[in-house]
Amino acid sequence: MAPSCSPVNSLHVAVIGAGAAGLVAARELRRESHSVVVFDRGTEVGGLWVYTPQSEPDPLSLDPNRTVVHSSVYDSLRTNLPRECMGYSDFPFVSRPEHDESRDPRRYPNHREVLAYLQDFAREFKLVEMVRFETEVVLVEQDGRKWKIRSKSSDGVTRDEIFDSVVVCNGHYTEPRVAEVPGIDLWPGKQLHSHNYRVPDPFKDQVVVVIGNFASGSDISRDITGVAKEVHIAARSQPSETYEKLPGADNLWLHPMIERAHKDGSIVFKNGKVIQADTIVHCTGYIYHFPFLNTNGYITVEDNCVGPLYKHVFPPALAPGLSFVGLPWMTLLFTMFELQSKWVAAVLSGRVTLPSEEKMMEDTNALYAKRDANGFPKRYTHRLGASQAEYLNWIADQIGEPPVEQWRNQELEGGYVRLATQPDTFRDKWDDDHLIVEAYEDFLRQKLISVIPSQILG
Ligand code: FAD
């Protein structure tokens, strides 16, 4: 639906979360003349990127009453995407002349650099003053045509407030999903989820099984090889005969999934190999979790599909009062947060209109039908992958923004290929220098940087 030029409504909007999604949502809502309160249970902006050496007391995070530690960042973490394609459209994630030596200029920088970037972004656009820190949202529900938010501050004070609209940006990398391993109840070793992994030291001289071989599994297994006796990756995606010694370490092996764990401490893989293991690290991803949300059962999370949601953002019967920014994955996340936020802000102000509830439901059901017909489980509903450019450009078109830059999509695609094919070297060896130059030339043309650093031009 094309943006109109009619006068805009200015609404009172609550944003839950001051991570990369909530910060840009706050900025776009304010740009659209809404008044905004951002709630965050943490003490600073940045969400997931606020590293803490603390982890949760329950290493698998199964106890629903545990004290939750938000971040899942480990000490050695560097980004898994090139920085040029990671940043917001008008505030590139680049090394700047004013940066001191505490900053990390690498193309795939450490997690501290991402946090510093988000802090710079919040400072530049005066977002910090919009955030109520150490304030957890404990209930969101409809109150007539408006929305009630109940929050609890760190001093124990509970407060109810009424908003015209709520934008949920609470992050999706805190509530672990744990692999089901036959026989695990009797297996005597230790288990933890990657959410609670920080440093390799506790694995010294151990035999460790890492379940999962995507970004975190691949990183953490390599992190541990430096101190452990042996590290064995169990990957669901591998054919059952797989048994491979992986490059980059002399004590790292790839297997298919675990067949069974036994009470004598042994682990049997589906390729028939048997090892005695000390610890299993579950790098098996996370689940969407909205413990504060009461929609009388309208919105459900089933096998990690949050729905019904039109284009992963608006629940048809509750739109536009309630919206979600940041659910899809395998895409340019910060770009997506920004586009979804602009869309929500423009819909709330009335500059852009949504289709009828029935039409939104039809579209959502069509997405589910396509997913089922392609044989994908529900938990893949929010995985964009090959359709990510189409999705982002569709939103851009709704709000009158240009399509996402080609170089950005190409960096993402090439980045994923390198991550899969050269997991031990992808952050330091690449063959797409021409895309880096294109990105910096684009930033310069838009006056987002004042000069292209000489090392970029070679
Ligand atoms: P978060 O950053 O998690 O922020 C959510 C915020 O909501 C937090 O501040 C939290 O305190 C707050 N909150 C939650 N619940 C409540 C509540 N009830 N009340 C009040 N506040 C609440 N993406 C990339 O683009 N590049 C990468 O290299 C990359 N690497 C990653 C590595 C790891 C290990 C992980 C787990 C993810 C990685 N990601 C990466 C994805 C990352 O999640 C996104 O980049 C992004 O930072 C997520 O932002 P968010 O705002 O959605 O969530």
Side-chain angles (χ1 to χ4, degrees), residues 70-313:
H70 186 80
S71 184
S72 299
V73 162
Y74 33 93
D75 193 41
S76 65
L77 182 74
R78 290 170 63 190
T79 63
N80 50 38
L81 286 179
R83 63 190 302 159
E84 311 84 46
C85 72
M86 247 184 83
Y88 303 115
S89 67
D90 57 353
F91 192 73
F93 184 22
V94 291
S95 183
R96 293 173 190 271
E98 65 272 23
H99 288 172
D100 61 25
E101 64 281 4
S102 68
R103 301 292 291 255
D104 182 351
R106 291 175 294 179
R107 191 183 190 203
Y108 287 80
N110 62 34
H111 58 85
R112 290 171 191 85
E113 178 69 8
V114 185
L115 178 63
Y117 166 74
L118 290 172
Q119 289 168 337
D120 287 347
F121 176 73
R123 203 173 307 114
E124 174 77 14
F125 294 99
K126 300 188 172 36
L127 305 174
V128 181
E129 42 267 53
M130 299 161 83
V131 186
R132 274 196 224 153
F133 291 106
E134 296 186 71
T135 308
E136 177 167 11
V137 171
V138 292
L139 179 69
V140 173
E141 65 183 16
Q142 253 184 322
D143 186 304
R145 293 170 64 97
K146 301 207 175 215
W147 288 85
K148 179 167 84 183
I149 288 232
R150 179 168 299 154
S151 63
K152 199 170 169 190
S153 58
S154 54
D155 51 14
V157 176
T158 299
R159 188 167 161 192
D160 284 353
E161 288 162 276
I162 300 296
F163 289 86
D164 297 309
S165 170
V166 179
V167 186
V168 179
C169 310
N170 65 326
H172 313 297
Y173 296 93
T174 296
E175 200 65 25
R177 189 216 318 263
V178 172
E180 283 174 21
V181 177
I184 198 72
D185 291 347
L186 298 176
W187 186 72
K190 291 194 195 113
Q191 295 184 71
L192 82 156
H193 188 277
S194 57
H195 173 59
N196 295 311
Y197 175 82
R198 295 294 181 270
V199 289
D201 313 29
F203 303 92
K204 192 165 167 7
D205 301 328
Q206 291 193 4
V207 175
V208 182
V209 174
V210 173
I211 305 180
N213 194 26
F214 196 54
S216 296
S218 172
D219 267 2
I220 291 173
S221 54
R222 281 177 176 76
D223 212 18
I224 295 174
T225 53
V227 300
K229 193 167 150 205
E230 295 171 12
V231 181
H232 298 264
I233 301 176
R236 193 171 51 183
S237 56
Q238 290 298 321
S240 59
E241 67 279 7
T242 304
Y243 180 57
E244 215 180 295
K245 194 152 184 314
L246 293 176
D250 56 12
N251 55 351
L252 180 61
W253 287 268
L254 179 65
H255 301 260
M257 199 34 197
I258 298 172
E259 174 84 34
R260 193 164 193 90
H262 293 272
K263 65 178 176 197
D264 64 357
S266 62
I267 299 280
V268 182
F269 295 95
K270 285 192 187 291
N271 57 10
K273 300 285 169 198
V274 183
I275 58 159
Q276 288 289 327
D278 299 292
T279 304
I280 295 176
V281 186
H282 295 249
C283 297
T284 38
Y286 295 85
I287 53 174
Y288 297 102
H289 191 51
F290 310 98
F292 47 79
L293 193 58
N294 173 17
T295 57
N296 292 319
Y298 180 73
I299 295 178
T300 58
V301 184
E302 268 178 54
D303 187 23
N304 231 18
C305 165
V306 185
L309 288 181
Y310 175 59
K311 305 291 184 196
H312 311 278
V313 174

Side-chain angles (χ1 to χ4, degrees), residues 41 45 70 156 158 179 220 265 294 352 374 387 408 412 414 416 423:
R41 61 185 176 191
V45 301
H70 186 80
T158 299
I220 291 173
N294 173 17
V352 170
N374 287 332
S387 65
R408 217 183 269 274
L412 175 81
Y416 279 148

